[in-house]
mmCIF file of all heavy atoms in Angstrom:
data_model
loop_
_atom_site.group_PDB
_atom_site.id
_atom_site.type_symbol
_atom_site.label_atom_id
_atom_site.label_comp_id
_atom_site.label_asym_id
_atom_site.label_seq_id
_atom_site.Cartn_x
_atom_site.Cartn_y
_atom_site.Cartn_z
ATOM 1 N N MET B 17 5.764 7.496 2.874
ATOM 2 C CA MET B 17 4.925 8.441 3.633
ATOM 3 C C MET B 17 4.418 7.772 4.903
ATOM 4 O O MET B 17 3.947 6.647 4.881
ATOM 5 C CB MET B 17 3.750 8.889 2.769
ATOM 6 C CG MET B 17 2.770 9.755 3.505
ATOM 7 S SD MET B 17 1.575 10.433 2.360
ATOM 8 C CE MET B 17 2.248 12.029 2.085
ATOM 9 N N VAL B 18 4.511 8.480 6.001
ATOM 10 C CA VAL B 18 4.066 7.909 7.263
ATOM 11 C C VAL B 18 2.540 7.956 7.322
ATOM 12 O O VAL B 18 1.917 8.938 6.963
ATOM 13 C CB VAL B 18 4.663 8.688 8.451
ATOM 14 C CG1 VAL B 18 4.210 8.066 9.758
ATOM 15 C CG2 VAL B 18 6.165 8.701 8.353
ATOM 16 N N SER B 19 1.984 6.884 7.759
ATOM 17 C CA SER B 19 0.539 6.798 7.771
ATOM 18 C C SER B 19 -0.050 7.507 8.984
ATOM 19 O O SER B 19 0.504 7.473 10.076
ATOM 20 C CB SER B 19 0.136 5.328 7.789
ATOM 21 O OG SER B 19 -1.071 5.178 8.456
ATOM 22 N N GLU B 20 -1.164 8.169 8.739
ATOM 23 C CA GLU B 20 -1.897 8.745 9.864
ATOM 24 C C GLU B 20 -3.113 7.892 10.140
ATOM 25 O O GLU B 20 -4.164 8.375 10.543
ATOM 26 C CB GLU B 20 -2.340 10.169 9.527
ATOM 27 C CG GLU B 20 -1.196 11.135 9.335
ATOM 28 C CD GLU B 20 -1.507 12.143 8.233
ATOM 29 O OE1 GLU B 20 -2.591 12.727 8.287
ATOM 30 O OE2 GLU B 20 -0.671 12.339 7.349
ATOM 31 N N ALA B 21 -2.955 6.618 9.887
ATOM 32 C CA ALA B 21 -4.111 5.732 9.962
ATOM 33 C C ALA B 21 -4.642 5.650 11.378
ATOM 34 O O ALA B 21 -3.896 5.648 12.350
ATOM 35 C CB ALA B 21 -3.715 4.348 9.489
ATOM 36 N N THR B 22 -5.937 5.613 11.465
ATOM 37 C CA THR B 22 -6.582 5.478 12.758
ATOM 38 C C THR B 22 -7.533 4.297 12.691
ATOM 39 O O THR B 22 -8.007 3.933 11.637
ATOM 40 C CB THR B 22 -7.408 6.716 13.101
ATOM 41 O OG1 THR B 22 -8.235 7.009 11.972
ATOM 42 C CG2 THR B 22 -6.543 7.892 13.426
ATOM 43 N N ASN B 23 -7.784 3.720 13.820
ATOM 44 C CA ASN B 23 -8.809 2.694 13.837
ATOM 45 C C ASN B 23 -10.180 3.351 13.774
ATOM 46 O O ASN B 23 -10.365 4.483 14.191
ATOM 47 C CB ASN B 23 -8.692 1.857 15.104
ATOM 48 C CG ASN B 23 -7.739 0.701 14.899
ATOM 49 O OD1 ASN B 23 -7.818 0.012 13.881
ATOM 50 N ND2 ASN B 23 -6.826 0.519 15.828
ATOM 51 N N THR B 24 -11.130 2.629 13.199
ATOM 52 C CA THR B 24 -12.453 3.223 13.055
ATOM 53 C C THR B 24 -13.068 3.509 14.415
ATOM 54 O O THR B 24 -12.971 2.706 15.331
ATOM 55 C CB THR B 24 -13.409 2.274 12.312
ATOM 56 O OG1 THR B 24 -13.089 0.969 12.719
ATOM 57 C CG2 THR B 24 -13.279 2.454 10.839
ATOM 58 N N ARG B 25 -13.691 4.668 14.484
ATOM 59 C CA ARG B 25 -14.439 4.958 15.701
ATOM 60 C C ARG B 25 -15.767 4.229 15.649
ATOM 61 O O ARG B 25 -16.187 3.724 14.621
ATOM 62 C CB ARG B 25 -14.678 6.474 15.807
ATOM 63 C CG ARG B 25 -13.535 7.211 16.437
ATOM 64 C CD ARG B 25 -13.547 8.650 15.970
ATOM 65 N NE ARG B 25 -13.045 8.742 14.607
ATOM 66 C CZ ARG B 25 -13.445 9.639 13.725
ATOM 67 N NH1 ARG B 25 -14.351 10.507 14.036
ATOM 68 N NH2 ARG B 25 -12.914 9.678 12.522
ATOM 69 N N LYS B 26 -16.418 4.190 16.774
ATOM 70 C CA LYS B 26 -17.729 3.537 16.834
ATOM 71 C C LYS B 26 -18.728 4.380 16.042
ATOM 72 O O LYS B 26 -18.867 5.584 16.255
ATOM 73 C CB LYS B 26 -18.158 3.436 18.300
ATOM 74 C CG LYS B 26 -19.305 2.493 18.524
ATOM 75 C CD LYS B 26 -18.839 1.056 18.714
ATOM 76 C CE LYS B 26 -20.046 0.138 18.806
ATOM 77 N NZ LYS B 26 -19.872 -1.089 18.041
ATOM 78 N N LYS B 27 -19.410 3.713 15.091
ATOM 79 C CA LYS B 27 -20.350 4.451 14.261
ATOM 80 C C LYS B 27 -21.741 3.879 14.441
ATOM 81 O O LYS B 27 -21.895 2.687 14.713
ATOM 82 C CB LYS B 27 -19.948 4.344 12.793
ATOM 83 C CG LYS B 27 -18.693 5.098 12.468
ATOM 84 C CD LYS B 27 -18.349 4.975 10.999
ATOM 85 C CE LYS B 27 -17.623 3.688 10.719
ATOM 86 N NZ LYS B 27 -17.025 3.659 9.384
ATOM 87 N N SER B 28 -22.769 4.701 14.237
ATOM 88 C CA SER B 28 -24.125 4.173 14.283
ATOM 89 C C SER B 28 -24.348 3.331 13.032
ATOM 90 O O SER B 28 -23.647 3.477 12.036
ATOM 91 C CB SER B 28 -25.137 5.315 14.329
ATOM 92 O OG SER B 28 -25.277 5.872 13.042
ATOM 93 N N VAL B 29 -25.339 2.440 13.108
ATOM 94 C CA VAL B 29 -25.566 1.509 12.004
ATOM 95 C C VAL B 29 -25.908 2.270 10.727
ATOM 96 O O VAL B 29 -25.363 2.003 9.660
ATOM 97 C CB VAL B 29 -26.701 0.526 12.370
ATOM 98 C CG1 VAL B 29 -27.013 -0.375 11.199
ATOM 99 C CG2 VAL B 29 -26.309 -0.288 13.584
ATOM 100 N N LEU B 30 -26.784 3.263 10.855
ATOM 101 C CA LEU B 30 -27.210 4.006 9.664
ATOM 102 C C LEU B 30 -26.021 4.702 9.014
ATOM 103 O O LEU B 30 -25.786 4.603 7.815
ATOM 104 C CB LEU B 30 -28.281 5.036 10.045
ATOM 105 C CG LEU B 30 -28.766 5.885 8.871
ATOM 106 C CD1 LEU B 30 -29.528 5.029 7.874
ATOM 107 C CD2 LEU B 30 -29.627 7.047 9.342
ATOM 108 N N TRP B 31 -25.242 5.407 9.845
ATOM 109 C CA TRP B 31 -24.075 6.121 9.319
ATOM 110 C C TRP B 31 -23.105 5.147 8.660
ATOM 111 O O TRP B 31 -22.535 5.424 7.605
ATOM 112 C CB TRP B 31 -23.402 6.887 10.461
ATOM 113 C CG TRP B 31 -22.237 7.714 10.006
ATOM 114 C CD1 TRP B 31 -20.921 7.451 10.206
ATOM 115 C CD2 TRP B 31 -22.300 8.945 9.282
ATOM 116 N NE1 TRP B 31 -20.152 8.445 9.639
ATOM 117 C CE2 TRP B 31 -20.974 9.365 9.068
ATOM 118 C CE3 TRP B 31 -23.360 9.719 8.780
ATOM 119 C CZ2 TRP B 31 -20.664 10.539 8.376
ATOM 120 C CZ3 TRP B 31 -23.048 10.877 8.095
ATOM 121 C CH2 TRP B 31 -21.731 11.279 7.900
ATOM 122 N N ASP B 32 -22.966 3.982 9.268
ATOM 123 C CA ASP B 32 -22.081 2.970 8.718
ATOM 124 C C ASP B 32 -22.506 2.587 7.305
ATOM 125 O O ASP B 32 -21.694 2.511 6.391
ATOM 126 C CB ASP B 32 -22.103 1.748 9.649
ATOM 127 C CG ASP B 32 -21.114 0.706 9.199
ATOM 128 O OD1 ASP B 32 -20.038 1.095 8.724
ATOM 129 O OD2 ASP B 32 -21.416 -0.495 9.323
ATOM 130 N N TRP B 33 -23.818 2.368 7.091
ATOM 131 C CA TRP B 33 -24.293 1.953 5.767
ATOM 132 C C TRP B 33 -24.234 3.101 4.773
ATOM 133 O O TRP B 33 -24.034 2.880 3.583
ATOM 134 C CB TRP B 33 -25.707 1.377 5.859
ATOM 135 C CG TRP B 33 -25.698 -0.018 6.398
ATOM 136 C CD1 TRP B 33 -25.831 -0.384 7.705
ATOM 137 C CD2 TRP B 33 -25.481 -1.227 5.671
ATOM 138 N NE1 TRP B 33 -25.722 -1.738 7.824
ATOM 139 C CE2 TRP B 33 -25.515 -2.293 6.603
ATOM 140 C CE3 TRP B 33 -25.280 -1.531 4.323
ATOM 141 C CZ2 TRP B 33 -25.346 -3.627 6.230
ATOM 142 C CZ3 TRP B 33 -25.114 -2.861 3.957
ATOM 143 C CH2 TRP B 33 -25.144 -3.885 4.904
ATOM 144 N N LEU B 34 -24.426 4.335 5.244
ATOM 145 C CA LEU B 34 -24.388 5.464 4.308
ATOM 146 C C LEU B 34 -22.965 5.770 3.852
ATOM 147 O O LEU B 34 -22.758 6.365 2.801
ATOM 148 C CB LEU B 34 -24.993 6.724 4.949
ATOM 149 C CG LEU B 34 -26.483 6.689 5.256
ATOM 150 C CD1 LEU B 34 -26.926 7.993 5.886
ATOM 151 C CD2 LEU B 34 -27.292 6.422 4.001
ATOM 152 N N THR B 35 -21.984 5.410 4.661
ATOM 153 C CA THR B 35 -20.613 5.785 4.334
ATOM 154 C C THR B 35 -19.771 4.600 3.906
ATOM 155 O O THR B 35 -18.598 4.761 3.604
ATOM 156 C CB THR B 35 -19.923 6.424 5.553
ATOM 157 O OG1 THR B 35 -19.925 5.461 6.610
ATOM 158 C CG2 THR B 35 -20.614 7.677 5.998
#
Side-chain angles (χ1 to χ4, degrees):
Chain B
M17 175 171 262
V18 181
S19 150
E20 295 144 50
T22 50
N23 272 314
T24 36
R25 275 155 284 148
K26 194 86 185 137
K27 290 181 278 192
S28 77
V29 176
L30 179 67
W31 183 254
D32 185 36
W33 283 92
L34 293 180
T35 60

